[in-house]
C-alpha cells in the first residue's frame, strides 16, 4: 500500500503511527514533492468513490486565492477541479492510502486507517 502524506500534518503522522503499530507494509509518498498527475488523481478518485471537490482542502489559502468555494461542483466542471489539484497538490486532502487490493481511503482518523488494514487482511 501507499500513503500520501505531508510530514507537517498531524493526521498523516497519526496514520503512519497506526500503520507502524500494525506492522503494515507500506510506501510513503510525499505528495507535495511528488505530486500526482491528472490521470492518477482520476484513478484515486475512482478508487475512493469520491469527486475532486470531496478531497479538496477548501480551507487552504490557495483554494481561497482560486475562489474555489464558488466553483460549480458538477460533472461539467470536474476536469477543472482535477487540474487544480494536480497543479497545486497542497489542495489535496491527506493522508490518502491506496491499498494493493484496489481500495483507497482518506485516513484522517485512526478508524479509517484500521478499516483499510482490516480489508487488506481479508484479501
Amino acid at each position: 500500500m501507499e500513503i500520501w502524506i505531508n510530514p507537517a500534518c498531524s493526521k498523516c503522522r497519526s496514520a503512519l503511527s497506526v500503520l507502524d503499530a500494525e506492522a503494515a507494509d507500506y510506501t510513503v509518498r510525499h505528495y507535495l514533492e511528488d505530486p500526482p498527475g491528472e490521470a492518477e488523481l482520476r484513478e484515486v478518485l475512482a478508487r475512493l468513490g469520491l469527486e475532486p471537490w470531496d478531497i479538496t482542502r477548501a480551507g487552504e489559502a490557495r483554494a481561497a486565492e482560486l475562489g474555489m468555494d464558488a466553483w460549480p461542483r458538477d460533472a461539467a466542471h470536474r476536469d477543472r477541479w482535477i487540474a487544480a489539484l494536480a497543479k497545486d497538490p497542497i489542495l489535496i486532502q491527506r493522508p490518502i492510502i491506496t491499498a494493493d487490493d484496489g481500495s483507497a481511503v482518506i485516513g484522517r482518523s485512526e478508524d479509517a486507517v484500521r478499516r483499510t488494514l482490516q480489508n487488506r487482511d481479508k484479501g
Side-chain angles (χ1 to χ4, degrees):
M1 78 178 54
E2 181 176 80
I3 180 169
W4 297 2
I5 70 158
N6 174 348
C9 170
S10 63
K11 299 286 185 187
C12 294
R13 291 190 305 271
S14 176
L16 291 172
S17 293
V18 171
L19 293 174
D20 289 341
E22 298 294 328
D25 183 23
Y26 65 91
T27 302
V28 172
R29 179 172 179 179
H30 294 244
Y31 75 99
L32 296 176
E33 298 167 13
D34 180 16
E38 291 184 30
E40 188 175 10
L41 283 169
R42 289 177 201 288
E43 177 189 332
V44 169
L45 286 165
R47 291 170 75 172
L48 288 166
L50 297 173
E51 293 294 340
W53 44 85
D54 296 327
I55 69 163
T56 298
R57 295 175 53 82
E60 284 291 332
R62 183 65 181 140
E65 289 169 14
L66 294 171
M68 292 179 90
D69 59 336
W71 290 12
R73 297 174 183 226
D74 58 31
H77 295 88
R78 189 172 198 266
D79 290 344
R80 179 182 186 192
W81 284 86
I82 291 171
L85 295 176
K87 183 175 183 224
D88 292 303
I90 192 71
L91 296 169
I92 301 171
Q93 193 60 261
R94 60 189 181 244
I96 293 178
I97 301 170
T98 56
D100 295 338
D101 67 0
S103 65
V105 67
I106 298 176
R108 294 202 47 83
S109 72
E110 289 185 15
D111 287 342
V113 177
R114 285 196 175 87
R115 278 194 306 274
T116 300
L117 294 172
Q118 290 169 349
N119 291 340
R120 173 204 64 181
D121 294 339
K122 290 178 188 174

